Amino acid sequence: MPFGFPSEHDRVAFDRAELGVILSLYGRMVAAGEWRDYAMSFLRDMAVFSVFRRATEHPLYRIEKRPRLRNAQGQYAVIGMDGRILKRGHDLPAVLRVLEKKLIRPVN
């Protein structure tokens, strides 16, 4: 690439299946009124899907994919607003279940 820009192969990205799982959860959370906006970042060592309650604030959660951790604790992680890792693992749907608990509300 000219001017020292990184090529697509220098970045980590979510594949179509991973995005399908993430966007399915995102749609349910939007319908429930929990989330309102998202952003994606594709960096050299990780891909990040950030979710927001409002577009002008810090992300509520970050869903990260770090392929270098594939053989260790798992390449997927959900990280809270405070930087704490809420769940990490090898299976994206299983990792995202920590966020789906927000959809379960008691019926009065």
Side-chain angles (χ1 to χ4, degrees), residues 83-103:
R84 261 186 308 161
I85 297 172
L86 303 177
K87 183 86 171 168
R88 181 183 297 279
H90 300 279
D91 182 42
L92 182 59
V95 171
L96 294 180
R97 277 192 213 112
V98 71
L99 298 174
E100 290 179 0
K101 292 176 183 176
K102 305 278 185 198
L103 288 173

Side-chain angles (χ1 to χ4, degrees), residues 20 26 29 51 64 68-71 84-85 100 105:
Y26 176 79
M29 295 300 265
V51 294
E64 295 185 355
R68 286 189 184 155
L69 299 177
R70 182 182 303 123
N71 296 328
R84 261 186 308 161
I85 297 172
E100 290 179 0
R105 296 183 183 176

Side-chain angles (χ1 to χ4, degrees), residues 14 19 22-23 26 38-40 47-51 61-63:
F14 294 105
L19 276 177
I22 293 169
L23 289 173
Y26 176 79
Y38 72 90
M40 289 189 283
V48 182
F49 187 97
S50 302
V51 294
Y61 302 102
R62 292 188 330 262
I63 301 163

